[in-house]
C-alpha cells in the first residue's frame, strides 16, 4: 500500500518564477492538505482540497493556488516566487470526516529553494 | 485559534519512559488534541489523538487533564529511533491543524 508521494524531491528556482509541486495521496484517501515548513519551525497550513474544491485556506496570499484531480491527486502552484518562499512543502492526505478526528498522513515533502 | 505551548527541547535516557507536556489553556470543547512527530529529514508522522479520555496505542499513551487545559504524551520505553520533534496540535472545528514549534526530544544512549 503506497503512502503519500510527492514530486519533485528538491527544486531550485529564481525569484519571480512559478513552480508546481505534485502530490499523490495514500490509497483510499480523498482529502489533500498542503503545508509550508520553514527551517526550524512547525508546518503552516496552506489549504485543503476535497472533491476537487478548496475546502479550507490558511493565511497565505493568492500567489499560492492549488488543484485536485478526479483521482484525488493534487498540485500546489506558487507564482511570482519570493526568497521567503524557500521551505519544505508538505502534502498530507486523509479521509473526509464529519467530526474533527482527522488523521493525516504526510509525504516526505518537496524542498524548494528560491535564489 | 486555540494555541499550544510546549518546551523547546527535552532529554531522556534510552529505555526509560518519557513524558512530553503540552499546555492548551484556550482549548474549546470540541477541539481534539493530536500529537505528531517528525523524524529528521522526514514528513510528520501521526502518533495519537484524544478528546477527553486518556488514550493508548502501540506507539504511545496520551494523558489528558480533567479540565483539558493540558495533556502529556507518554513514551513508555524510549529508543534512539524516538528522537524527533514532537508536536502537540489542536484540530479545530474548521478541520485545521494549528502547529506550534514542537519539542525536540533527544535520547541519550
Amino acid at each position: 500500500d503506497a503512502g503519500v508521494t510527492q514530486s519533485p524531491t528538491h527544486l531550485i528556482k529564481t525569484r519571480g518564477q512559478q513552480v508546481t509541486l505534485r502530490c499523490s495521496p495514500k490509497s483510499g484517501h480523498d482529502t489533500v492538505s498542503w503545508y509550508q515548513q520553514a527551517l526550524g519551525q512547525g508546518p503552516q497550513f496552506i489549504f485543503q482540497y476535497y472533491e476537487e474544491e478548496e475546502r479550507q485556506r490558511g493565511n497565505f496570499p493568492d500567489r499560492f493556488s492549488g488543484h485536485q484531480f478526479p483521482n484525488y491527486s493534487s498540485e500546489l502552484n506558487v507564482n511570482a516566487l519570493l526568497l521567503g518562499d524557500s521551505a519544505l512543502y508538505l502534502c498530507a492526505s486523509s479521509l473526509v470526516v464529519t467530526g474533527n478526528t482527522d488523521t493525516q498522513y504526510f509525504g516526505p515533502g518537496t524542498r524548494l529553494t528560491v535564489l | 485559534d486555540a494555541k499550544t505551548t510546549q518546551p523547546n527541547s527535552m532529554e531522556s535516557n534510552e529505555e526509560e519512559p518519557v513524558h512530553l507536556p503540552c499546555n492548551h489553556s484556550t482549548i474549546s470543547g470540541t477541539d481534539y488534541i493530536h500529537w505528531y512527530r517528525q523524524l529528521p529529514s522526514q514528513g510528520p508522522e501521526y502518533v495519537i489523538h484524544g478528546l477527553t479520555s486518556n488514550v493508548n496505542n502501540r506507539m504511545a499513551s496520551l494523558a489528558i487533564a480533567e479540565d483539558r487545559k493540558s495533556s502529556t504524551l507518554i513514551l513508555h520505553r524510549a529508543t534512539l529511533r524516538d528522537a524527533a520533534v514532537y508536536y502537540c496540535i489542536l484540530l479545530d472545528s474548521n478541520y485545521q491543524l494549528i502547529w506550534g514549534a514542537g519539542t525536540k526530544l533527544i535520547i541519550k544512549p
Side-chain angles (χ1 to χ4, degrees), chain B:
Chain B
D1 296 324
K3 298 292 193 291
T4 61
T5 305
Q6 299 176 254
N8 291 333
S9 65
M10 291 184 63
E11 287 190 2
S12 181
N13 294 319
E14 193 177 12
E15 298 188 2
E16 289 186 356
V18 179
H19 290 236
L20 296 165
C22 180
N23 288 317
H24 27 78
S25 58
T26 59
I27 191 172
S28 73
T30 56
D31 287 346
Y32 277 75
I33 303 157
H34 286 241
W35 284 81
Y36 283 74
R37 71 179 185 181
Q38 189 170 21
L39 279 64
S41 302
Q42 295 187 26
E45 173 188 32
Y46 167 80
V47 177
I48 200 167
H49 77 273
L51 182 61
T52 57
S53 304
N54 294 342
V55 184
N56 300 292
N57 66 20
R58 65 174 180 81
M59 289 182 68
S61 295
L62 176 60
I64 301 173
E66 197 168 330
D67 62 6
R68 298 204 338 119
K69 295 183 183 300
S70 66
S71 60
T72 301
L73 179 71
I74 303 165
L75 305 179
H76 295 285
R77 193 164 169 268
T79 69
L80 295 177
R81 290 178 297 176
D82 292 320
V85 178
Y86 285 78
Y87 295 96
C88 168
I89 310 154
L90 300 182
L91 183 67
D92 67 13
S93 56
N94 291 320
Y95 307 109
Q96 290 190 31
L97 291 172
I98 311 300
W99 300 68
T103 296
K104 183 176 182 179
L105 177 63
I106 300 166
I107 304 297
K108 297 181 289 184

Side-chain angles (χ1 to χ4, degrees), chain A residues 71-86:
Chain A
N71 67 353
Y72 306 121
S73 67
S74 176
E75 289 182 349
L76 164 66
N77 300 293
V78 186
N79 294 322
L81 285 168
L82 304 173
L83 295 179
D85 295 332
S86 296

